[in-house]
Amino acid sequence: MGRYVIRRLLQMIPVFIGTTFLIFFMVYALGDPVAAMFGDRAPDPATAAQIRKDLHLDKPLWQQYVLYMGNIFSGDFGTAFNGQPVLDLMRRSWPITVRLALLAVLFEMLIGVTLGVISGLRRGRAVDTGVLFATLVVISIPTFVTGYVLQYLLGVKWGWVKPAVSSGAPWNELVLPAVVLALVSLAYTTRLTRTSVAENARADYVRTAVAKGLPRRRITLRHLLRNSLIPVVTFLGIDIGNLMGGAIVTERIFNIQGVGFQLWQGVLRQNAPTVVGFVTVLVIVYLLANLVVDMLYAVLDPRIRYA
């Protein structure tokens, strides 16, 4: 296992360089950060030239990338156009988004897997049909519609929760946004679990366990569910990165100043240092999440061994 982890970490290096260079190229080569800094006003040529020199924008793109990566490894993600260090923006926004994503994943695992197991064990019955219909409805409704409807009903009309999250974003205020964020993924998790459980329920090892007279609960939890979770874990691992980077809509609805909010502001204002800095960290999150997923395969399926 140790060799496998080291090999995977080494494989991540070219992937990290390739993806971050592509992002850097798209932001800095296809746009003009200096022009974006001045907005609608045309910058003075001498001032623009000086800014380009200070930000190393007068150098070839590959040199800009090398300098940027060197600064990142020393803890300097640059300065946003409003004068704030990007690292300070990250310190404020990442803890909020991590709490939001953790709650969302928790809902996916608890509710999605439970519904999937129940539906898979009762394939073709009324419960299965109801779960399939409900998940199809959830998938069909855009997140912004679900978010605004739940915010109005639970927050404004009935007053059960706060309609907007305060700046500190405590755990209790993030419950409703996490539900909204998790709904679509929860529906996919339910369907994946249901399909996997339904297939494995007819496998030889399950029939053998039944023939041996093992308790139904033990067969389901220890044998059937364990083998059925491999595709679900793969989906959840990929979804962690999506929840952190793709929470723009949910964070806008509930006024959460997390990663999605900062990315949205960065893209809207063409704030290149903010966009590249946040996306670079997201790339690291994706890579580490995939590594953890691959390691979990060996835990779930004893037949999988890594040399």
Side-chain angles (χ1 to χ4, degrees), residues 99-158:
R99 288 200 295 272
L100 181 64
L102 284 176
L103 280 174
V105 170
L106 189 65
F107 288 135
E108 285 182 42
M109 292 174 63
L110 291 179
I111 302 174
V113 172
T114 303
L115 286 176
V117 171
I118 294 172
S119 180
L121 292 175
R122 290 164 175 75
R123 186 177 184 180
R125 299 181 185 177
V127 175
D128 182 35
T129 305
V131 169
L132 287 177
F133 178 75
T135 52
L136 182 62
V137 171
V138 170
I139 292 171
S140 304
I141 300 176
T143 300
F144 72 90
V145 175
T146 312
Y148 280 122
V149 169
L150 291 179
Q151 183 187 45
Y152 173 73
L153 292 176
L154 302 179
V156 178
K157 190 171 183 180
W158 297 331

Coordinates of all heavy atoms in Angstrom, one line a residue, residues 99-158:
R99 N -17.1 23.1 5.6 CA -18.2 22.7 6.5 C -19.5 22.4 5.7 O -20.2 21.4 5.9 CB -18.5 23.8 7.5 CG -17.5 24.0 8.6 CD -18.1 24.8 9.8 NE -18.4 26.1 9.5 CZ -17.6 27.1 9.6 NH1 -16.3 26.9 10.0 NH2 -17.9 28.4 9.3
L100 N -19.8 23.3 4.7 CA -20.9 23.1 3.8 C -20.8 21.7 3.1 O -21.8 21.0 3.0 CB -21.0 24.2 2.9 CG -22.2 24.2 1.9 CD1 -23.5 24.4 2.6 CD2 -22.1 25.4 0.9
A101 N -19.7 21.5 2.5 CA -19.5 20.2 1.7 C -19.6 19.0 2.6 O -20.1 18.0 2.2 CB -18.1 20.3 1.0
L102 N -19.0 19.1 3.8 CA -19.1 17.9 4.7 C -20.5 17.6 5.1 O -20.9 16.4 5.1 CB -18.3 18.2 6.0 CG -16.7 18.1 5.9 CD1 -16.1 18.5 7.2 CD2 -16.3 16.7 5.5
L103 N -21.3 18.6 5.4 CA -22.7 18.4 5.7 C -23.4 17.8 4.5 O -24.2 16.8 4.6 CB -23.4 19.7 6.1 CG -23.2 20.2 7.5 CD1 -23.8 21.5 7.7 CD2 -23.8 19.2 8.5
A104 N -23.1 18.3 3.3 CA -23.8 17.8 2.1 C -23.4 16.3 1.8 O -24.3 15.5 1.5 CB -23.4 18.6 0.9
V105 N -22.2 16.0 2.0 CA -21.7 14.6 1.8 C -22.4 13.7 2.8 O -22.8 12.5 2.6 CB -20.2 14.5 1.8 CG1 -19.7 13.0 1.9 CG2 -19.6 15.2 0.6
L106 N -22.5 14.2 4.1 CA -23.1 13.4 5.1 C -24.6 13.1 4.8 O -25.0 11.9 5.0 CB -23.1 14.2 6.5 CG -23.5 13.4 7.7 CD1 -22.5 12.3 8.0 CD2 -23.5 14.4 8.9
F107 N -25.3 14.1 4.3 CA -26.7 13.8 3.8 C -26.7 12.8 2.7 O -27.6 11.9 2.7 CB -27.3 15.1 3.4 CG -27.7 16.0 4.5 CD1 -27.4 17.4 4.4 CD2 -28.2 15.6 5.7 CE1 -27.7 18.3 5.4 CE2 -28.5 16.5 6.7 CZ -28.2 17.8 6.6
E108 N -25.8 12.9 1.7 CA -25.7 12.0 0.6 C -25.5 10.6 1.1 O -26.2 9.6 0.7 CB -24.6 12.4 -0.3 CG -24.9 13.6 -1.2 CD -23.7 13.8 -2.1 OE1 -23.2 12.8 -2.7 OE2 -23.3 15.0 -2.3
M109 N -24.6 10.4 2.1 CA -24.2 9.1 2.5 C -25.4 8.4 3.3 O -25.7 7.3 3.1 CB -22.9 9.1 3.3 CG -21.7 9.5 2.5 SD -20.2 9.7 3.5 CE -20.1 8.1 4.2
L110 N -25.9 9.2 4.3 CA -26.9 8.7 5.2 C -28.2 8.4 4.5 O -28.8 7.3 4.5 CB -27.1 9.6 6.4 CG -25.9 9.7 7.4 CD1 -26.3 10.7 8.5 CD2 -25.6 8.4 8.0
I111 N -28.7 9.4 3.8 CA -30.0 9.3 3.2 C -30.0 8.6 1.8 O -30.8 7.7 1.6 CB -30.6 10.7 3.0 CG1 -30.7 11.5 4.3 CG2 -32.0 10.6 2.3 CD1 -31.2 12.9 4.2
G112 N -29.0 9.0 1.0 CA -28.9 8.4 -0.3 C -28.6 6.9 -0.3 O -29.3 6.1 -0.9
V113 N -27.6 6.5 0.6 CA -27.3 5.0 0.6 C -28.4 4.2 1.3 O -28.8 3.1 0.8 CB -26.0 4.8 1.4 CG1 -25.7 3.3 1.7 CG2 -24.8 5.4 0.7
T114 N -29.0 4.8 2.3 CA -30.2 4.1 3.0 C -31.3 3.9 2.0 O -31.9 2.8 1.9 CB -30.6 4.9 4.2 OG1 -29.6 5.1 5.1 CG2 -31.8 4.2 4.9
L115 N -31.7 4.9 1.3 CA -32.8 4.8 0.3 C -32.4 3.8 -0.8 O -33.3 3.0 -1.3 CB -33.2 6.2 -0.3 CG -33.9 7.1 0.6 CD1 -34.1 8.5 -0.1 CD2 -35.3 6.6 1.0
G116 N -31.2 3.9 -1.2 CA -30.7 3.0 -2.3 C -30.8 1.5 -1.9 O -31.2 0.7 -2.7
V117 N -30.4 1.2 -0.6 CA -30.4 -0.1 -0.1 C -31.9 -0.6 -0.1 O -32.2 -1.7 -0.5 CB -29.7 -0.3 1.2 CG1 -30.0 -1.6 1.8 CG2 -28.2 0.0 1.1
I118 N -32.7 0.2 0.5 CA -34.1 -0.2 0.7 C -34.8 -0.4 -0.7 O -35.5 -1.4 -0.9 CB -34.9 0.9 1.4 CG1 -34.4 1.0 2.9 CG2 -36.4 0.6 1.4 CD1 -35.0 2.2 3.7
S119 N -34.5 0.5 -1.6 CA -35.1 0.4 -3.0 C -34.5 -0.8 -3.7 O -35.2 -1.6 -4.4 CB -34.8 1.7 -3.8 OG -35.3 1.6 -5.1
G120 N -33.2 -1.1 -3.6 CA -32.5 -2.2 -4.3 C -33.0 -3.6 -3.8 O -33.2 -4.5 -4.5
L121 N -33.3 -3.7 -2.4 CA -33.8 -4.9 -1.9 C -35.2 -5.2 -2.2 O -35.7 -6.3 -2.1 CB -33.6 -4.9 -0.3 CG -32.1 -4.9 0.2 CD1 -32.1 -4.8 1.7 CD2 -31.4 -6.2 -0.3
R122 N -35.9 -4.1 -2.6 CA -37.4 -4.3 -2.9 C -37.6 -3.9 -4.4 O -38.5 -3.2 -4.7 CB -38.2 -3.4 -2.0 CG -38.2 -3.9 -0.6 CD -38.7 -2.9 0.4 NE -38.9 -3.4 1.8 CZ -37.8 -3.6 2.6 NH1 -36.6 -3.4 2.2 NH2 -38.0 -4.1 3.8
R123 N -36.7 -4.3 -5.2 CA -36.8 -4.0 -6.6 C -38.1 -4.4 -7.3 O -38.6 -5.5 -7.1 CB -35.6 -4.7 -7.4 CG -35.5 -4.3 -8.8 CD -34.3 -5.0 -9.4 NE -34.1 -4.6 -10.8 CZ -33.2 -5.0 -11.6 NH1 -32.3 -5.9 -11.1 NH2 -33.0 -4.6 -12.8
G124 N -38.7 -3.4 -8.0 CA -40.0 -3.7 -8.7 C -41.2 -3.5 -7.8 O -42.3 -3.5 -8.3
R125 N -41.0 -3.3 -6.5 CA -42.2 -3.0 -5.7 C -42.5 -1.6 -5.6 O -41.8 -0.7 -6.2 CB -41.9 -3.6 -4.3 CG -41.6 -5.1 -4.3 CD -41.4 -5.6 -2.9 NE -41.0 -7.0 -2.9 CZ -40.7 -7.7 -1.8 NH1 -40.7 -7.1 -0.6 NH2 -40.3 -9.0 -1.9
A126 N -43.6 -1.3 -4.8 CA -44.1 0.1 -4.7 C -43.0 1.1 -4.2 O -42.9 2.2 -4.6 CB -45.3 0.1 -3.9
V127 N -42.3 0.6 -3.1 CA -41.2 1.4 -2.5 C -40.2 1.8 -3.6 O -39.7 2.9 -3.7 CB -40.6 0.7 -1.3 CG1 -39.4 1.5 -0.8 CG2 -41.6 0.4 -0.2
D128 N -39.7 0.8 -4.3 CA -38.7 1.0 -5.4 C -39.2 2.0 -6.4 O -38.5 3.0 -6.8 CB -38.4 -0.3 -6.0 CG -37.3 -0.2 -7.1 OD1 -36.4 0.7 -6.9 OD2 -37.4 -0.9 -8.1
T129 N -40.5 1.8 -6.9 CA -41.0 2.8 -7.8 C -41.1 4.2 -7.3 O -40.8 5.2 -8.0 CB -42.4 2.3 -8.3 OG1 -42.4 0.9 -8.7 CG2 -43.0 3.2 -9.4
G130 N -41.5 4.3 -6.0 CA -41.6 5.6 -5.4 C -40.3 6.3 -5.3 O -40.2 7.5 -5.6
V131 N -39.3 5.6 -4.9 CA -37.9 6.1 -4.8 C -37.4 6.6 -6.1 O -36.8 7.7 -6.3 CB -36.9 5.1 -4.1 CG1 -35.5 5.6 -4.2 CG2 -37.3 4.9 -2.6
L132 N -37.6 5.7 -7.1 CA -37.1 6.1 -8.5 C -37.8 7.3 -9.0 O -37.2 8.2 -9.6 CB -37.4 4.9 -9.5 CG -36.4 3.7 -9.3 CD1 -36.8 2.6 -10.3 CD2 -35.0 4.1 -9.6
F133 N -39.1 7.4 -8.8 CA -39.9 8.6 -9.2 C -39.4 9.9 -8.5 O -39.2 10.9 -9.1 CB -41.4 8.4 -9.0 CG -42.2 9.6 -9.3 CD1 -42.5 9.9 -10.7 CD2 -42.8 10.4 -8.4 CE1 -43.3 11.0 -11.0 CE2 -43.5 11.5 -8.7 CZ -43.8 11.8 -10.0
A134 N -39.2 9.7 -7.1 CA -38.8 10.9 -6.4 C -37.4 11.4 -6.8 O -37.2 12.6 -6.9 CB -38.8 10.6 -4.9
T135 N -36.5 10.5 -7.0 CA -35.2 10.9 -7.4 C -35.2 11.5 -8.8 O -34.4 12.4 -9.1 CB -34.2 9.7 -7.4 OG1 -34.7 8.6 -8.1 CG2 -33.9 9.2 -6.0
L136 N -36.0 11.0 -9.7 CA -36.1 11.6 -11.0 C -36.6 13.0 -10.9 O -36.2 13.9 -11.6 CB -37.1 10.7 -11.9 CG -37.2 11.2 -13.3 CD1 -35.9 11.2 -14.1 CD2 -38.3 10.3 -14.1
V137 N -37.6 13.3 -10.1 CA -38.1 14.6 -9.9 C -37.0 15.5 -9.4 O -36.9 16.7 -9.8 CB -39.3 14.6 -8.9 CG1 -39.7 16.0 -8.5 CG2 -40.5 13.9 -9.5
V138 N -36.3 15.1 -8.4 CA -35.2 15.9 -7.8 C -34.2 16.2 -8.8 O -33.7 17.4 -8.9 CB -34.5 15.1 -6.6 CG1 -33.3 15.9 -6.2 CG2 -35.5 15.0 -5.4
I139 N -33.8 15.2 -9.6 CA -32.8 15.5 -10.7 C -33.3 16.4 -11.7 O -32.5 17.2 -12.3 CB -32.4 14.1 -11.3 CG1 -31.6 13.2 -10.3 CG2 -31.5 14.3 -12.6 CD1 -31.4 11.8 -10.8
S140 N -34.6 16.4 -12.0 CA -35.1 17.3 -13.1 C -35.3 18.7 -12.7 O -35.4 19.6 -13.5 CB -36.5 16.7 -13.5 OG -36.4 15.4 -13.8
I141 N -35.3 19.0 -11.4 CA -35.5 20.4 -10.9 C -34.1 21.0 -10.7 O -33.3 20.5 -10.0 CB -36.3 20.4 -9.6 CG1 -37.6 19.8 -9.8 CG2 -36.4 21.9 -9.1 CD1 -38.4 19.7 -8.5
P142 N -33.9 22.2 -11.4 CA -32.6 22.9 -11.2 C -32.3 23.3 -9.7 O -33.3 23.6 -9.0 CB -32.7 24.1 -12.1 CG -33.8 23.8 -13.1 CD -34.7 22.9 -12.4
T143 N -31.1 23.3 -9.3 CA -30.7 23.6 -7.9 C -31.2 25.0 -7.5 O -31.7 25.2 -6.4 CB -29.2 23.5 -7.7 OG1 -28.8 22.2 -8.1 CG2 -28.8 23.8 -6.3
F144 N -31.2 26.0 -8.4 CA -31.6 27.3 -8.0 C -33.1 27.4 -7.7 O -33.5 28.2 -6.8 CB -31.2 28.4 -9.0 CG -32.0 28.4 -10.3 CD1 -33.1 29.1 -10.5 CD2 -31.6 27.6 -11.4 CE1 -33.9 29.1 -11.6 CE2 -32.3 27.6 -12.6 CZ -33.4 28.3 -12.7
V145 N -33.9 26.6 -8.4 CA -35.3 26.5 -8.1 C -35.6 25.9 -6.7 O -36.3 26.4 -5.9 CB -36.1 25.7 -9.2 CG1 -37.5 25.6 -8.9 CG2 -35.9 26.4 -10.6
T146 N -34.9 24.8 -6.5 CA -35.1 24.1 -5.2 C -34.6 25.0 -4.1 O -35.3 25.1 -3.0 CB -34.2 22.8 -5.2 OG1 -34.5 22.1 -6.3 CG2 -34.6 22.0 -3.9
G147 N -33.5 25.7 -4.3 CA -33.0 26.6 -3.3 C -33.9 27.7 -2.9 O -34.2 28.0 -1.7
Y148 N -34.4 28.4 -3.9 CA -35.3 29.6 -3.7 C -36.6 29.1 -3.0 O -37.1 29.8 -2.2 CB -35.5 30.3 -5.0 CG -34.4 31.3 -5.3 CD1 -33.8 31.2 -6.6 CD2 -34.0 32.3 -4.4 CE1 -32.7 32.0 -6.9 CE2 -32.9 33.1 -4.8 CZ -32.3 33.0 -6.0 OH -31.3 33.8 -6.3
V149 N -37.1 28.0 -3.5 CA -38.4 27.5 -2.9 C -38.3 27.1 -1.5 O -39.1 27.5 -0.6 CB -38.9 26.2 -3.8 CG1 -40.1 25.6 -3.0 CG2 -39.4 26.7 -5.1
L150 N -37.2 26.3 -1.1 CA -37.0 25.9 0.3 C -36.7 27.2 1.1 O -37.1 27.2 2.3 CB -35.9 24.9 0.3 CG -36.2 23.5 -0.2 CD1 -35.0 22.6 -0.1 CD2 -37.4 22.9 0.5
Q151 N -35.9 28.1 0.6 CA -35.6 29.3 1.3 C -36.8 30.1 1.6 O -37.0 30.6 2.8 CB -34.6 30.2 0.5 CG -34.1 31.4 1.2 CD -33.3 32.3 0.3 OE1 -33.7 32.5 -0.8 NE2 -32.2 32.8 0.8
Y152 N -37.7 30.2 0.7 CA -39.0 31.0 0.9 C -39.9 30.2 1.9 O -40.4 30.9 2.9 CB -39.7 31.1 -0.4 CG -41.1 31.8 -0.3 CD1 -41.2 33.1 0.1 CD2 -42.2 31.0 -0.4 CE1 -42.5 33.7 0.3 CE2 -43.5 31.5 -0.2 CZ -43.6 32.9 0.1 OH -44.9 33.4 0.3
L153 N -40.1 28.9 1.7 CA -41.0 28.2 2.6 C -40.5 28.1 4.0 O -41.1 28.4 5.0 CB -41.3 26.8 2.0 CG -42.1 26.8 0.7 CD1 -42.2 25.4 0.2 CD2 -43.5 27.4 0.9
L154 N -39.2 27.5 4.1 CA -38.7 27.2 5.5 C -38.1 28.5 6.2 O -38.2 28.6 7.4 CB -37.6 26.2 5.3 CG -38.0 24.8 4.7 CD1 -36.8 23.9 4.7 CD2 -39.1 24.2 5.5
G155 N -37.6 29.4 5.4 CA -37.0 30.6 6.0 C -37.9 31.8 6.1 O -37.9 32.5 7.1
V156 N -38.6 32.1 5.0 CA -39.4 33.3 5.0 C -40.8 33.1 5.5 O -41.3 33.8 6.4 CB -39.4 33.9 3.6 CG1 -40.3 35.2 3.6 CG2 -38.0 34.2 3.1
K157 N -41.5 32.1 5.0 CA -42.9 31.9 5.3 C -43.1 31.3 6.6 O -44.0 31.7 7.5 CB -43.6 31.1 4.2 CG -45.1 31.0 4.3 CD -45.7 30.3 3.1 CE -47.3 30.4 3.2 NZ -47.9 29.7 2.0
W158 N -42.4 30.2 6.9 CA -42.6 29.4 8.2 C -41.6 29.8 9.3 O -41.9 29.5 10.5 CB -42.6 27.9 7.9 CG -43.7 27.4 7.0 CD1 -44.9 28.0 6.9 CD2 -43.6 26.4 6.1 NE1 -45.6 27.3 5.9 CE2 -44.9 26.3 5.4 CE3 -42.7 25.4 5.8 CZ2 -45.2 25.4 4.4 CZ3 -42.9 24.5 4.8 CH2 -44.2 24.4 4.1

